[in-house]
Amino acid sequence: YQNYGLVHVQDSKVSMENCHIRHSEYHGITVVDEGQFSSFTGNSIASVGESAIAISSEYAHTIGVGNELDALMGIQVKGRHITESVTWHRQSVPYYLLQNVNVGSSTGAVLTLEPGVEIRMGKNAALTFGYGDKPLGTLMAEGSPSDHIVITSAAATPSPGDWEYIR
């Protein structure tokens, strides 16, 4: 990421519970390289210039539940490979995919989206399930009548062709 957050996590695991993060020019939290959360619940992030959290797709599942996130670009997800079965939890803001995300492994990897998850796809972004030498990838997205799963454009005025594909 071009700019760090108020909290910057790199190549380590952190636990954050019931914390308040406010007034960052860019991101509330940046999580890069092999960085991830061992626990992230009950937190509040607001008044940030870009995203509440900027994190790799590989570790977006480590964002727990019960958080109040408020940011222009929600959770900014950097494209990488998801090679194990993970669940993206419903949050108070959308996930923004600004790059391609590949899901797959030789034994099978599943990306599960909880009811109520919203994903906004950036220009030319794609979700690919099964790729190259990792042919087994699956998307499990089962919303409910009151909790839809939404995958749409990240553009201010959405139109066909804003993002690439899901395949």
Side-chain angles (χ1 to χ4, degrees), residues 65-81:
V65 297
N67 301 298
E68 285 300 321
L69 309 176
D70 182 18
L72 177 66
M73 291 194 63
I75 299 167
Q76 194 177 108
V77 179
K78 183 176 182 177
R80 281 185 62 174
H81 303 292

Side-chain angles (χ1 to χ4, degrees), residues 92-109:
S92 56
V93 295
Y95 293 85
Y96 281 78
L97 271 61
L98 304 179
Q99 300 172 328
N100 294 344
V101 174
N102 300 307
V103 180
S105 74
S106 59
T107 57

Side-chain angles (χ1 to χ4, degrees), residues 5-18:
L6 284 177
V7 176
H8 180 75
V9 179
Q10 184 169 359
D11 292 324
S12 57
K13 286 186 178 182
V14 297
S15 176
M16 294 181 74
E17 297 182 7
N18 304 308

Side-chain angles (χ1 to χ4, degrees), residues 117-161:
V117 165
E118 181 177 346
I119 297 176
R120 295 192 184 172
M121 304 287 284
K123 183 89 173 137
N124 300 320
L127 270 170
T128 303
F129 295 88
Y131 60 96
D133 65 344
K134 297 170 177 45
L136 303 174
T138 303
L139 172 64
M140 293 294 297
E142 296 181 16
S144 70
S146 61
D147 254 345
H148 297 101
I149 293 171
V150 176
I151 302 175
T152 188
S153 170
T157 306
S159 63

Side-chain angles (χ1 to χ4, degrees), residues 27-29 31 37 40 45 51-55 63 69 74-77:
H27 309 285
I29 302 172
V31 184
F37 298 109
F40 190 86
I45 302 175
S51 63
I53 302 170
I55 192 168
I63 303 170
L69 309 176
I75 299 167
Q76 194 177 108
V77 179

